[in-house]
Amino acid sequence: MKKAFIKLDRDYTISRIDPRIYGSFIEHLGRAVYGGIYEPGHPCADEQGFRTDVLKLVKDLGVPVVRYPGGNFVSGFNWEDSVGKVSERPKRLDLAWFTTETNEVGLHEFYDWTKKANSEVMYAVNLGTRGPENARDVVEYANHPSGTRLSDMRIANGKKDPMGIKLWCLGNEMDGSWQIGHKTAKEYARTATEAAKLMKWVDPSIELVVCGSSGYTMRTFGDWEYEVLSECYDHVDYVSLHRYYNNKRGDTPSFLAKSMELEEFIRTVSALCDAVKGKKHTKKQLNLSFDEWNVWYHSAEQDKAVWKTDKWGRGLPLIEDVYNFEDALLVGLMLITFIRNADRVKIACLAQLVNVIAPIMTRSGGKSWAQTIYFPFAEASRWGRGVSLRAIIDSPLYDSTEFTDVPVTDAAAVLNDDGGVTVFCVNRDMTEPCELKIDLRSFGDLRFDFHSVLHNDDIHAVNTELAPDTVKPTPGSAAEIDDGFASVTLPALSWNVIRFSK
């Protein structure tokens, strides 16, 4: 059996964790909205047509913020189409996903849904086909109390009180050639800066996320962040990062090591922000919004077939990845990485929430169920609140075809507000369990609460409507505490949550 050691100390802190790192994302894409959160006529639909079975799963997941309405969709979207009487809203071709958008669910409806889901809206404005004036207008519509044309329009549309949306995205992936209204860094920086100024003049209390490069492997990466931030640093609060991983090669040891690249990505973008901070001689620190992240690759061939047979349909079954057990392990490792970088990562949105590369799946007219990736996210969201601790990890290492010196055991730890300690860890070893020893001496008298394990002997095991419990957490081994040291056994290839309380 392999052995690993984690030293924790209540004074070795990184940062208080912003709960918004457990955010998610609903885009007008595929069946995320129509057939996902919204399905009038379903046995579980409420008076607004929202599925209450889906709402329960979302509430149990604990997402404090949901990014909306896109994504690529937003770069061709007119926000005015989504307000007013539903019967009078226009139907539009969505050129991002080659579907027809009916606008049945719009700003008011989604705002209502987030309240039912115990969440908040993170609203993205269109800086692809539109500009600063339209961005200003939607802030005024949503957040200004009354007495202007747009705020009074909101009131006439049934919402007397301001929505108070506090978090706004300045477009989406604007350096991507696939993006409607794709821009150079210079073009985007000027547009985003002017939009930011107008939006904050309307409501100084809002926070703004400016687009970073669409990905770590983009040709524009690095230069884009530096040029954009050099222009708009003083007017924004966060820069966005997007990252998806896949295991197309079937190389599990490398796949589970990809969180190491994620860590480097975070450090690199933080350094770019700090380079601009130094250049400007400002004390303001810009933090990170990881507003798209997940595993994404299973549905590529299926999507081609959908578009071939039903282009321009409504609510098409697009990007419906069926996640397996090893996907859940990487999602857990990515969450560990976010917790460990809580001093810079303040927002993160699992993309997406329902049906579209999602932890929650539904069948139209049928049941809803949790995918494998649901469980590490739900446990991190529940127990990963408080202060991130600087865990000093001594673990055996391995090399893969893509990475060297990969820790067999990776972990993050949280000092919870009730004085307890929660350790999240993954054993990457394909065959051997690991005996983990944890130094808890500085926390006083702690008792072992529970050890939750996510494991399956089949790395390709999935959850389905007919077999929704194939992969789910089970009780692990009891931890023995002796003179402030706790010992627990981590099964081979497992996500683990180990909780100690006062």
Side-chain angles (χ1 to χ4, degrees):
M1 183 184 296
K2 287 185 166 63
K3 297 180 183 292
F5 177 75
I6 299 176
K7 179 174 177 56
L8 301 175
D9 192 291
R10 66 181 308 113
D11 293 327
Y12 293 177
T13 63
I14 296 171
S15 173
R16 173 159 286 277
I17 297 166
D18 191 320
R20 294 176 299 177
I21 70 167
Y22 306 115
S24 194
F25 181 21
I26 286 285
E27 182 172 1
H28 279 261
L29 158 60
R31 296 192 310 121
V33 177
Y34 307 117
I37 65 171
Y38 175 79
E39 191 179 338
H42 189 279
C44 294
D46 67 11
E47 72 285 352
Q48 287 184 285
F50 293 121
R51 287 184 56 160
T52 57
D53 58 333
V54 174
L55 274 167
K56 183 182 186 307
L57 284 167
V58 172
K59 286 191 284 189
D60 290 347
L61 202 56
V63 289
V65 67
V66 181
R67 185 169 173 245
Y68 175 85
N72 293 352
F73 170 82
V74 79
S75 293
F77 173 62
N78 300 332
W79 71 267
E80 305 94 326
D81 292 348
S82 74
V83 301
K85 292 182 179 179
V86 174
S87 61
E88 297 177 1
R89 295 178 191 174
K91 296 178 175 62
R92 304 271 192 191
L93 294 183
D94 170 21
L95 302 182
W97 302 109
F98 304 108
T99 58
T100 297
E101 175 53 52
T102 62
N103 287 301
E104 296 164 64
V105 173
L107 176 54
H108 286 254
E109 292 81 13
F110 188 74
Y111 174 85
D112 290 345
W113 181 85
T114 60
K115 295 308 173 189
K116 295 177 180 183
N118 299 332
S119 189
E120 300 287 340
V121 180
M122 178 182 184
Y123 198 82
V125 300
N126 176 1
L127 293 186
T129 58
R130 311 190 87 184
E133 180 180 13
N134 307 110
R136 174 204 65 190
D137 287 353
V138 68
V139 175
E140 182 180 328
Y141 180 91
N143 287 5
H144 193 68
S146 64
T148 67
R149 180 181 70 86
L150 291 168
S151 59
D152 288 347
M153 184 192 301
R154 180 198 70 241
I155 294 170
N157 288 333
K159 186 72 178 70
K160 180 181 178 181
D161 296 327
M163 295 179 182
I165 299 172
K166 295 303 180 186
L167 190 57
W168 298 76
C169 301
L170 297 168
N172 175 74
E173 295 185 354
M174 297 310 301
D175 67 332
S177 59
W178 60 87
Q179 201 69 212
I180 300 169
H182 161 65
K183 290 175 172 57
T184 65
K186 183 177 181 179
E187 291 168 338
Y188 172 69
R190 290 297 306 130
T191 299
T193 299
E194 295 308 309
K197 285 162 54 180
L198 269 61
M199 294 166 77
K200 286 198 171 184
W201 286 345
V202 171
D203 184 351
S205 72
I206 64 174
E207 293 186 301
L208 300 177
V209 182
V210 69
C211 287
S213 175
S214 303
Y216 200 26
T217 58
M218 294 283 289
R219 283 189 305 113
T220 49
F221 176 73
D223 289 338
W224 174 276
E225 279 80 359
Y226 191 79
E227 185 169 353
V228 168
L229 293 179
S230 293
E231 178 71 31
C232 67
Y233 193 96
D234 295 333
H235 303 284
V236 300
D237 305 284
Y238 308 94
V239 62
S240 74
L241 299 82
H242 293 180
R243 195 69 176 110
Y244 297 98
Y245 291 109
N246 68 72
N247 190 18
K248 292 179 180 177
R249 296 168 54 184
D251 181 355
T252 298
S254 290
F255 180 61
L256 297 183
K258 289 183 184 291
S259 57
M260 296 177 65
E261 185 205 57
L262 180 71
E263 191 114 33
E264 286 302 311
F265 187 16
I266 291 168
R267 290 175 180 170
T268 301
V269 177
S270 297
L272 288 162
C273 292
D274 292 345
V276 178
K277 175 184 178 182
K279 171 186 172 183
K280 288 183 169 290
H281 303 285
T282 179
K283 294 181 179 179
K284 175 183 177 180
Q285 177 173 290
L286 210 65
N287 289 315
L288 311 185
S289 173
F290 227 112
D291 50 39
E292 287 188 32
W293 69 274
N294 206 342
V295 174
W296 177 8
Y297 72 103
H298 296 287
S299 60
E301 293 306 313
Q302 170 193 311
D303 295 337
K304 293 176 185 176
V306 170
W307 276 315
K308 186 175 181 180
T309 59
D310 197 12
K311 190 175 182 181
W312 306 123
R314 170 192 175 276
L316 301 179
L318 295 170
I319 317 182
E320 297 194 3
D321 277 29
V322 176
Y323 289 112
N324 60 34
F325 169 61
E326 72 173 1
D327 297 329
L329 292 178
L330 183 60
V331 164
L333 286 159
M334 294 175 80
L335 288 160
I336 284 171
T337 305
F338 294 148
I339 293 169
R340 196 162 50 217
N341 288 276
D343 56 332
R344 298 308 291 262
V345 179
K346 301 299 182 181
I347 304 161
C349 300
L350 177 68
Q352 294 188 16
L353 186 54
V354 183
N355 287 330
V356 176
I357 46 174
I360 300 168
M361 293 297 292
T362 72
R363 180 171 62 83
S364 295
K367 295 180 180 179
S368 59
W369 64 97
Q371 294 224 68
T372 62
I373 65 171
Y374 182 96
F375 299 105
F377 189 101
E379 291 187 315
S381 178
R382 180 176 182 183
W383 298 107
R385 310 289 179 109
V387 175
S388 177
L389 296 170
R390 193 174 303 281
I392 300 172
I393 306 170
D394 182 8
S395 168
L397 306 176
Y398 73 87
D399 294 339
S400 73
T401 57
E402 295 183 44
F403 299 91
T404 58
D405 296 331
V406 182
V408 168
T409 299
D410 199 6
V414 177
L415 177 60
N416 302 120
D417 290 337
D418 61 4
V421 175
T422 303
V423 177
F424 304 98
C425 50
V426 170
N427 180 8
R428 291 182 170 111
D429 196 282
M430 300 278 289
T431 57
E432 283 192 54
C434 177
E435 182 186 344
L436 178 65
K437 192 171 185 179
I438 308 169
D439 185 348
L440 298 168
R441 288 175 295 173
S442 82
F443 300 96
D445 188 18
L446 292 179
R447 63 177 175 82
F448 169 72
D449 261 2
F450 68 82
H451 174 201
S452 174
V453 175
L454 190 69
H455 170 77
N456 195 287
D457 290 337
D458 179 6
I459 60 172
H460 299 118
V462 301
N463 292 342
T464 66
E465 182 181 11
L466 297 179
D469 297 326
T470 302
V471 179
K472 67 176 185 179
T474 58
S477 59
E480 297 179 4
I481 301 179
D482 184 17
D483 284 339
F485 290 90
S487 296
V488 63
T489 300
L490 313 178
L493 283 185
S494 60
W495 156 266
N496 302 264
V497 183
I498 308 160
R499 163 76 180 169
F500 304 92
S501 64
K502 297 292 285 185

